[in-house]
Amino acid sequence: MAPKKVFLSALSLLLVVLQPSLVESRPPEPPRKHLSNLFQNLDESHKGQNLKGLHLVKQYLKNLGYYPNGVDVTTNDDFDDHLESAIKTYQQYYHLNVTGNLDPHTIKALSELRCGVPDFFVLDQNLTTNSSKVKFAIQYSFFPNNPKWPTTKRDLTYSFKSGDGIYVDLALIRPIVERAYKRWQDVSPLTFKEGNSNSNIKIGFFRRDHGDGKPFDGPGKVCAHAFAPQDGRVHFDADEPNWKFGPRH
């Protein structure tokens, strides 16, 4: 769920907004270097350069769907054709000036908190430097193949299960989640109530690689992700320091 773009199947991520006191990660993980720390060294970087940390930008953009399949982005810090193309596509998608460089506006956009669901567009797998070979979606989209809860499953249950070493204050979380699903219940044929460990929807806070193939990235950027029906997992990044209850300002 990118900034200002919503995947309808995961809207509960926007409805459940939490206070900082709700989550405590124990024990703390050793500090790591994140993209936001690297941007001061990457400002105005462009094709042809080799700068430490560019491979992390590549990994981030690949996770969001901006790289063709099969392109290795693990360790190479070269600002190559693929990175320039990925940045151009990102800039075009977010209506930025399409330069192919990591300019200040692009860095600011990349630094925003967002859902980990990739941005929705059709990327030509032979794409190199021609960002025109991208078909953009409208401002919202369903998951591929439009998965839904079956008509026989309208009374859904949810439960809470967070990662090891993460303390969650359920006394505070429960009424917030209940309020969020009440809003869904008012405008849909679905009902929601808290259930047991076999619930349809499983809500939890996790850190880094937590076994679902979509590792979190620490403070900043990706703050949550959800899986389509009938999977039902809704995961929040426990490393985020600014969870709060209320509208975003």
Side-chain angles (χ1 to χ4, degrees), residues 68-127:
N69 293 332
V71 177
D72 183 15
V73 297
T74 54
T75 60
N76 191 314
D77 281 323
D78 291 334
F79 201 127
D80 52 20
D81 287 345
H82 282 299
L83 178 56
E84 182 187 55
S85 177
I87 291 173
K88 284 182 177 180
T89 304
Y90 182 89
Q91 291 168 332
Q92 187 177 352
Y93 190 70
Y94 287 104
H95 306 289
L96 302 170
N97 188 25
V98 181
T99 64
N101 302 335
L102 280 174
D103 56 62
H105 293 293
T106 303
I107 287 175
K108 181 180 178 181
L110 286 167
S111 300
E112 290 184 357
L113 291 173
R114 58 166 294 144
C115 176
V117 176
D119 293 331
F120 187 80
F121 54 86
V122 179
L123 180 63
D124 188 328
Q125 294 301 300
N126 296 315
L127 188 63

Side-chain angles (χ1 to χ4, degrees), residues 35-180:
L35 281 177
S36 56
N37 303 117
L38 294 169
F39 280 153
Q40 58 183 335
N41 301 320
L42 301 179
D43 188 21
E44 296 295 357
S45 56
H46 53 80
K47 189 172 72 171
Q49 294 181 304
N50 181 287
L51 297 171
K52 184 177 181 180
L54 279 175
H55 72 281
L56 296 177
V57 180
K58 294 179 181 182
Q59 290 171 14
Y60 186 58
L61 289 171
K62 184 172 184 178
N63 290 340
L64 298 181
Y66 288 89
Y67 267 78
N69 293 332
V71 177
D72 183 15
V73 297
T74 54
T75 60
N76 191 314
D77 281 323
D78 291 334
F79 201 127
D80 52 20
D81 287 345
H82 282 299
L83 178 56
E84 182 187 55
S85 177
I87 291 173
K88 284 182 177 180
T89 304
Y90 182 89
Q91 291 168 332
Q92 187 177 352
Y93 190 70
Y94 287 104
H95 306 289
L96 302 170
N97 188 25
V98 181
T99 64
N101 302 335
L102 280 174
D103 56 62
H105 293 293
T106 303
I107 287 175
K108 181 180 178 181
L110 286 167
S111 300
E112 290 184 357
L113 291 173
R114 58 166 294 144
C115 176
V117 176
D119 293 331
F120 187 80
F121 54 86
V122 179
L123 180 63
D124 188 328
Q125 294 301 300
N126 296 315
L127 188 63
T128 54
T129 59
N130 186 0
S131 61
S132 66
K133 293 184 179 180
V134 179
K135 297 180 181 179
F136 292 97
I138 53 179
Q139 296 297 306
Y140 63 87
S141 179
F142 296 98
F143 281 97
N145 302 318
N146 195 13
K148 300 177 180 179
W149 296 106
T151 56
T152 56
K153 189 178 291 185
R154 289 291 183 250
D155 299 319
L156 302 178
T157 56
Y158 59 86
S159 60
F160 302 93
K161 179 176 174 55
S162 294
D164 294 338
I166 298 173
Y167 168 74
V168 179
D169 191 341
L170 290 181
L172 291 174
I173 287 182
R174 280 194 171 99
I176 298 172
V177 172
E178 183 178 357
R179 176 182 173 183

Side-chain angles (χ1 to χ4, degrees), residues 1 10-19 22-23 158 160 172-184 201 203-205 223-224 234-236 242-247:
M1 198 176 307
L11 268 177
S12 58
L13 295 177
L14 300 181
L15 300 178
V16 183
V17 192
L18 306 171
Q19 301 179 25
L22 298 185
V23 184
Y158 59 86
F160 302 93
L172 291 174
I173 287 182
R174 280 194 171 99
I176 298 172
V177 172
E178 183 178 357
R179 176 182 173 183
Y181 282 123
K182 175 65 165 57
R183 293 180 63 181
W184 268 112
I201 300 169
I203 303 167
F205 286 80
C223 58
V234 180
H235 293 169
F236 294 88
N242 297 317
W243 290 113
K244 64 181 180 179
F245 179 38

